[in-house]
Amino acid sequence: MSIWYDEIHRDSMRFGLKATQTLHSSRSDFQKIDIVDTEVFGRALLLDDLWMLSELDERAYHELLAHPALTTCPEPSRVLIIGGGDGGTAREVLRHPEVDEVTLVEIDPEVIAACKRHLPTLGAGAWDDPRLHVQCDDGAAFLAAAPPASYDVILIDGSDPVGPAAVLFSEEFLSSCASALSPGGVLALQAESPTLHRDVHLDTIARLRQTFEVVAPYYGVVSVYPGGAWSWIYASHGVRHDQPIEARVARLEDATEHYHRGTHHAAFVPPNHIRRALRGA
Amino acid sequence: MSIWYDEIHRDSMRFGLKATQTLHSSRSDFQKIDIVDTEVFGRALLLDDLWMLSELDERAYHELLAHPALTTCPEPSRVLIIGGGDGGTAREVLRHPEVDEVTLVEIDPEVIAACKRHLPTLGAGAWDDPRLHVQCDDGAAFLAAAPPASYDVILIDGSDPVGPAAVLFSEEFLSSCASALSPGGVLALQAESPTLHRDVHLDTIARLRQTFEVVAPYYGVVSVYPGGAWSWIYASHGVRHDQPIEARVARLEDATEHYHRGTHHAAFVPPNHIRRALRGA
């Protein structure tokens, strides 16, 4: 029997997918976890009744979180992923042979176990890649304790700034990122909807500008997120977002669904209302 | 009392907004028309239970339908809009002082009446602009009877290729557009979701390529449409999509919410899976 799973946003909008089968449903120490089969969107993951990803369009999210950082960082040897227990970000990072070591710090081991079992296309070969080290830990505490300049790329793959991921938008956390990042390193984080979470989006940019030399928001579409329009932010101590290394981009283009050399530049063009807000800031 | 209005797509996904008030609900000769007040999306219009627009993000749609054509067409004196009974496209077109005459051909007079009354921000001053001529007629028949080369810009502002708008995606209709367009003219049409209606999107590009010299799909986000990711197609007998007239773009940038000089170019970058499909075609 089919049932609707709806994400309800501000008690006034909802995005629902009809599940043909519920593959997993549990409450971990941190959150409610559901994995369902749907007709149009393939398998999909919800945490606390919010859509995290669907097989149909997860690549629009994971490719954009990973590749702008990975194609511009001069030597992306040591990569840290905070969150990302589904494995999708690790999968994209590990496409780059320049990466020697990926540390994935996910707070909830049940997310990893459920995704490994029911969403095998997400992590794909990443789980077996000897370069991947998984650690189940609090991402904020982990980063606060990380030695200075210990990572070349840091990717923040958290959920919304409520629940367990709220801390990932705090000033303290972003300072930890700045300190743990190598001088030639790049940070990228998901930064909510420029339409429906416009304030969080602009505040996060402003907060990053206090610490980083280069701060560049970028934009895409993730259909299962509220309103579809989504954003990420690129930040560094000087590495430029607009000069991707040609050979790395070329190598990716046969594998990616969304990202390519054109996307790399187009994604950094904000809608006009955000452009105006940033110019005024 | 609040009630949910849901657009259901393929009986397997839904996008719903909770209406705090129903302002209009009727059945015209052509379709069911509903206009509701919502909390996050402002006022919104449904035709046959499909979301057509919301005040929150209608500009993401109307600006992208109108401005790429209007900023590149050398002499956009005579403009034809097929559909567009809400007035949003006419509002954007009339921002351009180069436009001498806009003919808006909407099949359903009840849509115009209801939108004038309940969605005044859509048409705004356009309804009173002496350059606007409204005609309630079948758009396909109107275009088939139009003298050759009688319009400099033609904008197809129809709904999905089911119901009254189905004909707007047919080969015959697109040939009528080609014939009614002046040699220096530009056609733009909405072309569905590149993700959820990928076949319609690619087929429409292929169909246009049989008749037009320049055919360039472009992309944006409209939150109330299925999946959010949306597309339009630019077509001409030789006018280039990638050379907007600087002065016209500059003039718009203080008024627009989404479109600006950066968007003009970024919008024409397809996702990689579409890029590959077009290259192979």
PDB file of all heavy atoms in Angstrom, chain A residues 6 11-14 16 18 40 223 227 253 256-258 260 270 272-273 276, chain B residues 6 11-12 14 16 18 40 223 227 253 256-258 260 270 272-273 276:
ATOM      1  N   ASP A   6       5.392  13.492   3.603  1.00  0.00           N
ATOM      2  CA  ASP A   6       5.449  14.924   3.316  1.00  0.00           C
ATOM      3  C   ASP A   6       6.465  15.615   4.210  1.00  0.00           C
ATOM      4  O   ASP A   6       6.494  15.376   5.410  1.00  0.00           O
ATOM      5  CB  ASP A   6       4.080  15.583   3.587  1.00  0.00           C
ATOM      6  CG  ASP A   6       3.052  15.223   2.543  1.00  0.00           C
ATOM      7  OD1 ASP A   6       3.239  15.624   1.381  1.00  0.00           O
ATOM      8  OD2 ASP A   6       2.075  14.531   2.892  1.00  0.00           O
ATOM      9  N   ASP A  11       4.739  25.051   8.555  1.00  0.00           N
ATOM     10  CA  ASP A  11       3.307  24.721   8.648  1.00  0.00           C
ATOM     11  C   ASP A  11       2.496  25.313   7.487  1.00  0.00           C
ATOM     12  O   ASP A  11       1.284  25.513   7.597  1.00  0.00           O
ATOM     13  CB  ASP A  11       2.734  25.210   9.995  1.00  0.00           C
ATOM     14  CG  ASP A  11       1.317  24.670  10.223  1.00  0.00           C
ATOM     15  OD1 ASP A  11       1.052  23.539   9.776  1.00  0.00           O
ATOM     16  OD2 ASP A  11       0.493  25.384  10.826  1.00  0.00           O
ATOM     17  N   SER A  12       3.141  25.603   6.359  1.00  0.00           N
ATOM     18  CA  SER A  12       2.375  26.250   5.295  1.00  0.00           C
ATOM     19  C   SER A  12       2.717  25.771   3.887  1.00  0.00           C
ATOM     20  O   SER A  12       2.030  26.107   2.937  1.00  0.00           O
ATOM     21  CB  SER A  12       2.547  27.763   5.380  1.00  0.00           C
ATOM     22  OG  SER A  12       3.901  28.077   5.258  1.00  0.00           O
ATOM     23  N   MET A  13       3.796  25.008   3.730  1.00  0.00           N
ATOM     24  CA  MET A  13       4.037  24.388   2.432  1.00  0.00           C
ATOM     25  C   MET A  13       4.481  22.959   2.671  1.00  0.00           C
ATOM     26  O   MET A  13       5.025  22.626   3.729  1.00  0.00           O
ATOM     27  CB  MET A  13       5.091  25.150   1.624  1.00  0.00           C
ATOM     28  CG  MET A  13       6.481  25.139   2.213  1.00  0.00           C
ATOM     29  SD  MET A  13       7.704  26.025   1.183  1.00  0.00           S
ATOM     30  CE  MET A  13       8.065  24.807  -0.083  1.00  0.00           C
ATOM     31  N   ARG A  14       4.226  22.081   1.705  1.00  0.00           N
ATOM     32  CA  ARG A  14       4.683  20.703   1.856  1.00  0.00           C
ATOM     33  C   ARG A  14       5.106  20.127   0.523  1.00  0.00           C
ATOM     34  O   ARG A  14       4.564  20.468  -0.531  1.00  0.00           O
ATOM     35  CB  ARG A  14       3.600  19.833   2.498  1.00  0.00           C
ATOM     36  CG  ARG A  14       2.355  19.600   1.660  1.00  0.00           C
ATOM     37  CD  ARG A  14       1.340  18.776   2.452  1.00  0.00           C
ATOM     38  NE  ARG A  14       0.084  18.615   1.746  1.00  0.00           N
ATOM     39  CZ  ARG A  14      -1.030  18.143   2.318  1.00  0.00           C
ATOM     40  NH1 ARG A  14      -1.042  17.813   3.602  1.00  0.00           N
ATOM     41  NH2 ARG A  14      -2.129  17.991   1.612  1.00  0.00           N
ATOM     42  N   GLY A  16       5.632  16.328  -0.976  1.00  0.00           N
ATOM     43  CA  GLY A  16       5.380  14.937  -0.643  1.00  0.00           C
ATOM     44  C   GLY A  16       5.734  13.985  -1.764  1.00  0.00           C
ATOM     45  O   GLY A  16       5.592  14.307  -2.942  1.00  0.00           O
ATOM     46  N   LYS A  18       5.050   9.837  -2.782  1.00  0.00           N
ATOM     47  CA  LYS A  18       4.304   8.651  -2.407  1.00  0.00           C
ATOM     48  C   LYS A  18       5.271   7.474  -2.356  1.00  0.00           C
ATOM     49  O   LYS A  18       5.960   7.187  -3.340  1.00  0.00           O
ATOM     50  CB  LYS A  18       3.212   8.393  -3.445  1.00  0.00           C
ATOM     51  CG  LYS A  18       2.111   7.493  -2.929  1.00  0.00           C
ATOM     52  CD  LYS A  18       1.186   7.087  -4.036  1.00  0.00           C
ATOM     53  CE  LYS A  18      -0.100   7.877  -4.041  1.00  0.00           C
ATOM     54  NZ  LYS A  18      -1.029   7.412  -5.099  1.00  0.00           N
ATOM     55  N   VAL A  40       8.861   8.255  -8.822  1.00  0.00           N
ATOM     56  CA  VAL A  40       9.559   9.188  -9.699  1.00  0.00           C
ATOM     57  C   VAL A  40      10.954   9.526  -9.180  1.00  0.00           C
ATOM     58  O   VAL A  40      11.889   9.721  -9.956  1.00  0.00           O
ATOM     59  CB  VAL A  40       8.729  10.478  -9.892  1.00  0.00           C
ATOM     60  CG1 VAL A  40       9.479  11.500 -10.724  1.00  0.00           C
ATOM     61  CG2 VAL A  40       7.389  10.150 -10.551  1.00  0.00           C
ATOM     62  N   SER A 223      15.577  19.317  -6.013  1.00  0.00           N
ATOM     63  CA  SER A 223      14.114  19.259  -6.070  1.00  0.00           C
ATOM     64  C   SER A 223      13.463  18.865  -4.751  1.00  0.00           C
ATOM     65  O   SER A 223      12.349  19.292  -4.466  1.00  0.00           O
ATOM     66  CB  SER A 223      13.676  18.272  -7.155  1.00  0.00           C
ATOM     67  OG  SER A 223      14.070  18.747  -8.420  1.00  0.00           O
ATOM     68  N   GLY A 227      11.270  24.451  -1.918  1.00  0.00           N
ATOM     69  CA  GLY A 227      11.311  25.442  -2.995  1.00  0.00           C
ATOM     70  C   GLY A 227      12.262  25.113  -4.123  1.00  0.00           C
ATOM     71  O   GLY A 227      12.241  25.766  -5.162  1.00  0.00           O
ATOM     72  N   GLU A 253      33.848  15.385 -16.371  1.00  0.00           N
ATOM     73  CA  GLU A 253      32.658  15.674 -17.165  1.00  0.00           C
ATOM     74  C   GLU A 253      31.942  14.459 -17.748  1.00  0.00           C
ATOM     75  O   GLU A 253      30.770  14.544 -18.080  1.00  0.00           O
ATOM     76  CB  GLU A 253      32.992  16.681 -18.276  1.00  0.00           C
ATOM     77  CG  GLU A 253      33.154  18.082 -17.720  1.00  0.00           C
ATOM     78  CD  GLU A 253      33.529  19.113 -18.777  1.00  0.00           C
ATOM     79  OE1 GLU A 253      34.029  18.715 -19.842  1.00  0.00           O
ATOM     80  OE2 GLU A 253      33.312  20.311 -18.521  1.00  0.00           O
ATOM     81  N   THR A 256      29.763  13.154 -14.345  1.00  0.00           N
ATOM     82  CA  THR A 256      28.818  13.961 -13.576  1.00  0.00           C
ATOM     83  C   THR A 256      27.483  14.151 -14.304  1.00  0.00           C
ATOM     84  O   THR A 256      27.431  14.170 -15.532  1.00  0.00           O
ATOM     85  CB  THR A 256      29.435  15.341 -13.278  1.00  0.00           C
ATOM     86  OG1 THR A 256      30.038  15.836 -14.478  1.00  0.00           O
ATOM     87  CG2 THR A 256      30.485  15.251 -12.199  1.00  0.00           C
ATOM     88  N   GLU A 257      26.422  14.330 -13.521  1.00  0.00           N
ATOM     89  CA  GLU A 257      25.087  14.566 -14.062  1.00  0.00           C
ATOM     90  C   GLU A 257      24.834  16.062 -14.235  1.00  0.00           C
ATOM     91  O   GLU A 257      24.092  16.483 -15.100  1.00  0.00           O
ATOM     92  CB  GLU A 257      24.022  14.054 -13.079  1.00  0.00           C
ATOM     93  CG  GLU A 257      23.690  12.594 -13.188  1.00  0.00           C
ATOM     94  CD  GLU A 257      22.948  12.263 -14.468  1.00  0.00           C
ATOM     95  OE1 GLU A 257      21.783  12.673 -14.631  1.00  0.00           O
ATOM     96  OE2 GLU A 257      23.557  11.567 -15.298  1.00  0.00           O
ATOM     97  N   HIS A 258      25.382  16.875 -13.344  1.00  0.00           N
ATOM     98  CA  HIS A 258      25.078  18.303 -13.333  1.00  0.00           C
ATOM     99  C   HIS A 258      26.315  19.160 -13.561  1.00  0.00           C
ATOM    100  O   HIS A 258      26.334  20.045 -14.392  1.00  0.00           O
ATOM    101  CB  HIS A 258      24.393  18.693 -12.008  1.00  0.00           C
ATOM    102  CG  HIS A 258      23.044  18.086 -11.906  1.00  0.00           C
ATOM    103  ND1 HIS A 258      21.909  18.737 -12.297  1.00  0.00           N
ATOM    104  CD2 HIS A 258      22.650  16.842 -11.521  1.00  0.00           C
ATOM    105  CE1 HIS A 258      20.866  17.939 -12.141  1.00  0.00           C
ATOM    106  NE2 HIS A 258      21.288  16.786 -11.668  1.00  0.00           N
ATOM    107  N   HIS A 260      29.745  20.687 -14.732  1.00  0.00           N
ATOM    108  CA  HIS A 260      30.713  20.672 -15.833  1.00  0.00           C
ATOM    109  C   HIS A 260      31.362  22.052 -15.881  1.00  0.00           C
ATOM    110  O   HIS A 260      31.061  22.911 -15.043  1.00  0.00           O
ATOM    111  CB  HIS A 260      30.076  20.274 -17.173  1.00  0.00           C
ATOM    112  CG  HIS A 260      29.018  21.195 -17.678  1.00  0.00           C
ATOM    113  ND1 HIS A 260      29.269  22.230 -18.533  1.00  0.00           N
ATOM    114  CD2 HIS A 260      27.691  21.261 -17.432  1.00  0.00           C
ATOM    115  CE1 HIS A 260      28.147  22.872 -18.822  1.00  0.00           C
ATOM    116  NE2 HIS A 260      27.170  22.304 -18.145  1.00  0.00           N
ATOM    117  N   PRO A 270      24.574  34.862  -8.509  1.00  0.00           N
ATOM    118  CA  PRO A 270      23.416  34.879  -7.615  1.00  0.00           C
ATOM    119  C   PRO A 270      22.198  35.483  -8.302  1.00  0.00           C
ATOM    120  O   PRO A 270      22.344  36.232  -9.273  1.00  0.00           O
ATOM    121  CB  PRO A 270      23.866  35.790  -6.464  1.00  0.00           C
ATOM    122  CG  PRO A 270      24.887  36.678  -7.076  1.00  0.00           C
ATOM    123  CD  PRO A 270      25.524  35.932  -8.211  1.00  0.00           C
ATOM    124  N   ASN A 272      19.387  38.280  -8.716  1.00  0.00           N
ATOM    125  CA  ASN A 272      19.626  39.721  -8.598  1.00  0.00           C
ATOM    126  C   ASN A 272      19.347  40.261  -7.189  1.00  0.00           C
ATOM    127  O   ASN A 272      20.070  41.122  -6.701  1.00  0.00           O
ATOM    128  CB  ASN A 272      18.775  40.465  -9.641  1.00  0.00           C
ATOM    129  CG  ASN A 272      19.340  41.825  -9.989  1.00  0.00           C
ATOM    130  OD1 ASN A 272      20.553  42.045  -9.899  1.00  0.00           O
ATOM    131  ND2 ASN A 272      18.476  42.744 -10.376  1.00  0.00           N
ATOM    132  N   HIS A 273      18.323  39.730  -6.518  1.00  0.00           N
ATOM    133  CA  HIS A 273      18.002  40.259  -5.181  1.00  0.00           C
ATOM    134  C   HIS A 273      19.096  39.921  -4.173  1.00  0.00           C
ATOM    135  O   HIS A 273      19.353  40.689  -3.249  1.00  0.00           O
ATOM    136  CB  HIS A 273      16.622  39.777  -4.708  1.00  0.00           C
ATOM    137  CG  HIS A 273      16.527  38.313  -4.387  1.00  0.00           C
ATOM    138  ND1 HIS A 273      16.589  37.819  -3.105  1.00  0.00           N
ATOM    139  CD2 HIS A 273      16.378  37.230  -5.184  1.00  0.00           C
ATOM    140  CE1 HIS A 273      16.464  36.496  -3.139  1.00  0.00           C
ATOM    141  NE2 HIS A 273      16.342  36.117  -4.385  1.00  0.00           N
ATOM    142  N   ARG A 276      22.139  42.260  -5.072  1.00  0.00           N
ATOM    143  CA  ARG A 276      21.943  43.599  -4.514  1.00  0.00           C
ATOM    144  C   ARG A 276      22.214  43.608  -3.015  1.00  0.00           C
ATOM    145  O   ARG A 276      22.867  44.514  -2.495  1.00  0.00           O
ATOM    146  CB  ARG A 276      20.510  44.076  -4.772  1.00  0.00           C
ATOM    147  CG  ARG A 276      20.330  44.761  -6.103  1.00  0.00           C
ATOM    148  CD  ARG A 276      19.076  45.619  -6.122  1.00  0.00           C
ATOM    149  NE  ARG A 276      17.889  44.821  -5.910  1.00  0.00           N
ATOM    150  CZ  ARG A 276      17.042  44.473  -6.875  1.00  0.00           C
ATOM    151  NH1 ARG A 276      17.250  44.871  -8.114  1.00  0.00           N
ATOM    152  NH2 ARG A 276      15.990  43.736  -6.623  1.00  0.00           N
TER     153      ARG A 276
ATOM    154  N   ASP B   6      -2.970  21.048  -3.137  1.00  0.00           N
ATOM    155  CA  ASP B   6      -1.813  20.278  -3.602  1.00  0.00           C
ATOM    156  C   ASP B   6      -1.840  20.117  -5.114  1.00  0.00           C
ATOM    157  O   ASP B   6      -2.882  19.808  -5.689  1.00  0.00           O
ATOM    158  CB  ASP B   6      -1.839  18.863  -2.998  1.00  0.00           C
ATOM    159  CG  ASP B   6      -1.487  18.858  -1.528  1.00  0.00           C
ATOM    160  OD1 ASP B   6      -0.337  19.179  -1.203  1.00  0.00           O
ATOM    161  OD2 ASP B   6      -2.376  18.544  -0.706  1.00  0.00           O
ATOM    162  N   ASP B  11       0.703  11.135  -9.961  1.00  0.00           N
ATOM    163  CA  ASP B  11       0.160  10.391  -8.819  1.00  0.00           C
ATOM    164  C   ASP B  11       1.252   9.941  -7.842  1.00  0.00           C
ATOM    165  O   ASP B  11       1.085   8.974  -7.097  1.00  0.00           O
ATOM    166  CB  ASP B  11      -0.632   9.169  -9.310  1.00  0.00           C
ATOM    167  CG  ASP B  11      -1.389   8.501  -8.168  1.00  0.00           C
ATOM    168  OD1 ASP B  11      -1.827   9.220  -7.245  1.00  0.00           O
ATOM    169  OD2 ASP B  11      -1.515   7.254  -8.177  1.00  0.00           O
ATOM    170  N   SER B  12       2.399  10.627  -7.827  1.00  0.00           N
ATOM    171  CA  SER B  12       3.461  10.138  -6.962  1.00  0.00           C
ATOM    172  C   SER B  12       4.256  11.243  -6.270  1.00  0.00           C
ATOM    173  O   SER B  12       5.060  10.964  -5.393  1.00  0.00           O
ATOM    174  CB  SER B  12       4.414   9.245  -7.751  1.00  0.00           C
ATOM    175  OG  SER B  12       4.951   9.964  -8.830  1.00  0.00           O
ATOM    176  N   ARG B  14       3.780  15.499  -4.736  1.00  0.00           N
ATOM    177  CA  ARG B  14       2.856  16.622  -4.593  1.00  0.00           C
ATOM    178  C   ARG B  14       3.558  17.811  -3.962  1.00  0.00           C
ATOM    179  O   ARG B  14       4.470  17.662  -3.150  1.00  0.00           O
ATOM    180  CB  ARG B  14       1.628  16.239  -3.769  1.00  0.00           C
ATOM    181  CG  ARG B  14       1.883  15.924  -2.306  1.00  0.00           C
ATOM    182  CD  ARG B  14       0.567  15.448  -1.669  1.00  0.00           C
ATOM    183  NE  ARG B  14       0.744  15.069  -0.270  1.00  0.00           N
ATOM    184  CZ  ARG B  14      -0.188  14.433   0.447  1.00  0.00           C
ATOM    185  NH1 ARG B  14      -1.337  14.098  -0.099  1.00  0.00           N
ATOM    186  NH2 ARG B  14       0.047  14.124   1.706  1.00  0.00           N
ATOM    187  N   GLY B  16       2.303  21.224  -2.024  1.00  0.00           N
ATOM    188  CA  GLY B  16       1.110  21.823  -1.453  1.00  0.00           C
ATOM    189  C   GLY B  16       1.396  23.114  -0.713  1.00  0.00           C
ATOM    190  O   GLY B  16       2.447  23.274  -0.090  1.00  0.00           O
ATOM    191  N   LYS B  18      -0.634  25.763   2.009  1.00  0.00           N
ATOM    192  CA  LYS B  18      -1.811  25.896   2.852  1.00  0.00           C
ATOM    193  C   LYS B  18      -2.426  27.273   2.593  1.00  0.00           C
ATOM    194  O   LYS B  18      -1.754  28.295   2.730  1.00  0.00           O
ATOM    195  CB  LYS B  18      -1.405  25.778   4.315  1.00  0.00           C
ATOM    196  CG  LYS B  18      -2.580  25.451   5.221  1.00  0.00           C
ATOM    197  CD  LYS B  18      -2.179  25.581   6.674  1.00  0.00           C
ATOM    198  CE  LYS B  18      -1.920  24.239   7.306  1.00  0.00           C
ATOM    199  NZ  LYS B  18      -1.579  24.367   8.743  1.00  0.00           N
ATOM    200  N   VAL B  40       3.532  31.713   3.073  1.00  0.00           N
ATOM    201  CA  VAL B  40       4.909  31.928   2.650  1.00  0.00           C
ATOM    202  C   VAL B  40       5.005  32.394   1.190  1.00  0.00           C
ATOM    203  O   VAL B  40       5.872  33.185   0.843  1.00  0.00           O
ATOM    204  CB  VAL B  40       5.736  30.639   2.862  1.00  0.00           C
ATOM    205  CG1 VAL B  40       7.149  30.797   2.348  1.00  0.00           C
ATOM    206  CG2 VAL B  40       5.753  30.263   4.343  1.00  0.00           C
ATOM    207  N   SER B 223       9.793  27.751  -7.897  1.00  0.00           N
ATOM    208  CA  SER B 223       9.531  26.871  -6.752  1.00  0.00           C
ATOM    209  C   SER B 223       8.186  26.166  -6.822  1.00  0.00           C
ATOM    210  O   SER B 223       8.046  25.055  -6.318  1.00  0.00           O
ATOM    211  CB  SER B 223       9.620  27.673  -5.452  1.00  0.00           C
ATOM    212  OG  SER B 223      10.942  28.118  -5.259  1.00  0.00           O
ATOM    213  N   GLY B 227       9.269  19.987  -8.980  1.00  0.00           N
ATOM    214  CA  GLY B 227      10.706  19.796  -8.834  1.00  0.00           C
ATOM    215  C   GLY B 227      11.512  21.085  -8.802  1.00  0.00           C
ATOM    216  O   GLY B 227      12.693  21.067  -8.501  1.00  0.00           O
ATOM    217  N   GLU B 253      18.289  46.296 -14.301  1.00  0.00           N
ATOM    218  CA  GLU B 253      18.841  45.653 -13.114  1.00  0.00           C
ATOM    219  C   GLU B 253      18.365  46.206 -11.771  1.00  0.00           C
ATOM    220  O   GLU B 253      18.448  45.525 -10.756  1.00  0.00           O
ATOM    221  CB  GLU B 253      20.380  45.661 -13.174  1.00  0.00           C
ATOM    222  CG  GLU B 253      20.905  44.625 -14.158  1.00  0.00           C
ATOM    223  CD  GLU B 253      22.417  44.632 -14.297  1.00  0.00           C
ATOM    224  OE1 GLU B 253      23.042  45.644 -13.929  1.00  0.00           O
ATOM    225  OE2 GLU B 253      22.962  43.630 -14.766  1.00  0.00           O
ATOM    226  N   THR B 256      14.581  44.276 -11.449  1.00  0.00           N
ATOM    227  CA  THR B 256      14.364  42.830 -11.489  1.00  0.00           C
ATOM    228  C   THR B 256      14.796  42.132 -10.197  1.00  0.00           C
ATOM    229  O   THR B 256      15.698  42.590  -9.500  1.00  0.00           O
ATOM    230  CB  THR B 256      15.153  42.215 -12.673  1.00  0.00           C
ATOM    231  OG1 THR B 256      16.462  42.786 -12.691  1.00  0.00           O
ATOM    232  CG2 THR B 256      14.464  42.502 -13.988  1.00  0.00           C
ATOM    233  N   GLU B 257      14.125  41.034  -9.898  1.00  0.00           N
ATOM    234  CA  GLU B 257      14.439  40.230  -8.722  1.00  0.00           C
ATOM    235  C   GLU B 257      15.481  39.167  -9.039  1.00  0.00           C
ATOM    236  O   GLU B 257      16.266  38.778  -8.193  1.00  0.00           O
ATOM    237  CB  GLU B 257      13.189  39.481  -8.242  1.00  0.00           C
ATOM    238  CG  GLU B 257      12.274  40.259  -7.345  1.00  0.00           C
ATOM    239  CD  GLU B 257      12.885  40.495  -5.981  1.00  0.00           C
ATOM    240  OE1 GLU B 257      13.064  39.534  -5.220  1.00  0.00           O
ATOM    241  OE2 GLU B 257      13.194  41.675  -5.692  1.00  0.00           O
ATOM    242  N   HIS B 258      15.453  38.645 -10.257  1.00  0.00           N
ATOM    243  CA  HIS B 258      16.312  37.507 -10.609  1.00  0.00           C
ATOM    244  C   HIS B 258      17.249  37.834 -11.759  1.00  0.00           C
ATOM    245  O   HIS B 258      18.446  37.612 -11.680  1.00  0.00           O
ATOM    246  CB  HIS B 258      15.448  36.287 -10.956  1.00  0.00           C
ATOM    247  CG  HIS B 258      14.745  35.751  -9.770  1.00  0.00           C
ATOM    248  ND1 HIS B 258      15.255  34.758  -8.975  1.00  0.00           N
ATOM    249  CD2 HIS B 258      13.581  36.132  -9.196  1.00  0.00           C
ATOM    250  CE1 HIS B 258      14.438  34.535  -7.967  1.00  0.00           C
ATOM    251  NE2 HIS B 258      13.410  35.350  -8.080  1.00  0.00           N
ATOM    252  N   HIS B 260      19.734  39.546 -14.286  1.00  0.00           N
ATOM    253  CA  HIS B 260      20.727  40.616 -14.423  1.00  0.00           C
ATOM    254  C   HIS B 260      21.774  40.140 -15.426  1.00  0.00           C
ATOM    255  O   HIS B 260      21.622  39.047 -15.999  1.00  0.00           O
ATOM    256  CB  HIS B 260      21.338  41.012 -13.067  1.00  0.00           C
ATOM    257  CG  HIS B 260      22.124  39.939 -12.385  1.00  0.00           C
ATOM    258  ND1 HIS B 260      23.477  39.783 -12.517  1.00  0.00           N
ATOM    259  CD2 HIS B 260      21.733  38.939 -11.569  1.00  0.00           C
ATOM    260  CE1 HIS B 260      23.893  38.756 -11.785  1.00  0.00           C
ATOM    261  NE2 HIS B 260      22.851  38.226 -11.201  1.00  0.00           N
ATOM    262  N   PRO B 270      23.326  24.519 -19.524  1.00  0.00           N
ATOM    263  CA  PRO B 270      22.464  23.390 -19.146  1.00  0.00           C
ATOM    264  C   PRO B 270      23.148  22.487 -18.130  1.00  0.00           C
ATOM    265  O   PRO B 270      24.379  22.491 -18.029  1.00  0.00           O
ATOM    266  CB  PRO B 270      22.277  22.641 -20.461  1.00  0.00           C
ATOM    267  CG  PRO B 270      23.492  22.952 -21.261  1.00  0.00           C
ATOM    268  CD  PRO B 270      23.975  24.308 -20.829  1.00  0.00           C
ATOM    269  N   ASN B 272      24.741  19.025 -16.943  1.00  0.00           N
ATOM    270  CA  ASN B 272      25.624  18.193 -17.766  1.00  0.00           C
ATOM    271  C   ASN B 272      24.875  17.096 -18.527  1.00  0.00           C
ATOM    272  O   ASN B 272      25.195  16.812 -19.676  1.00  0.00           O
ATOM    273  CB  ASN B 272      26.717  17.574 -16.877  1.00  0.00           C
ATOM    274  CG  ASN B 272      27.965  17.210 -17.664  1.00  0.00           C
ATOM    275  OD1 ASN B 272      28.261  17.812 -18.700  1.00  0.00           O
ATOM    276  ND2 ASN B 272      28.695  16.217 -17.184  1.00  0.00           N
ATOM    277  N   HIS B 273      23.850  16.508 -17.910  1.00  0.00           N
ATOM    278  CA  HIS B 273      23.140  15.408 -18.596  1.00  0.00           C
ATOM    279  C   HIS B 273      22.372  15.927 -19.821  1.00  0.00           C
ATOM    280  O   HIS B 273      22.250  15.212 -20.825  1.00  0.00           O
ATOM    281  CB  HIS B 273      22.222  14.645 -17.635  1.00  0.00           C
ATOM    282  CG  HIS B 273      21.025  15.400 -17.147  1.00  0.00           C
ATOM    283  ND1 HIS B 273      19.772  15.253 -17.674  1.00  0.00           N
ATOM    284  CD2 HIS B 273      20.897  16.325 -16.161  1.00  0.00           C
ATOM    285  CE1 HIS B 273      18.919  16.036 -17.030  1.00  0.00           C
ATOM    286  NE2 HIS B 273      19.575  16.704 -16.108  1.00  0.00           N
ATOM    287  N   ARG B 276      25.110  16.737 -22.527  1.00  0.00           N
ATOM    288  CA  ARG B 276      25.525  15.522 -23.226  1.00  0.00           C
ATOM    289  C   ARG B 276      24.481  15.081 -24.237  1.00  0.00           C
ATOM    290  O   ARG B 276      24.805  14.704 -25.361  1.00  0.00           O
ATOM    291  CB  ARG B 276      25.764  14.393 -22.217  1.00  0.00           C
ATOM    292  CG  ARG B 276      27.165  14.379 -21.656  1.00  0.00           C
ATOM    293  CD  ARG B 276      27.499  13.009 -21.084  1.00  0.00           C
ATOM    294  NE  ARG B 276      26.606  12.686 -19.992  1.00  0.00           N
ATOM    295  CZ  ARG B 276      26.945  12.760 -18.694  1.00  0.00           C
ATOM    296  NH1 ARG B 276      28.163  13.117 -18.348  1.00  0.00           N
ATOM    297  NH2 ARG B 276      26.083  12.444 -17.767  1.00  0.00           N
TER     298      ARG B 276
END
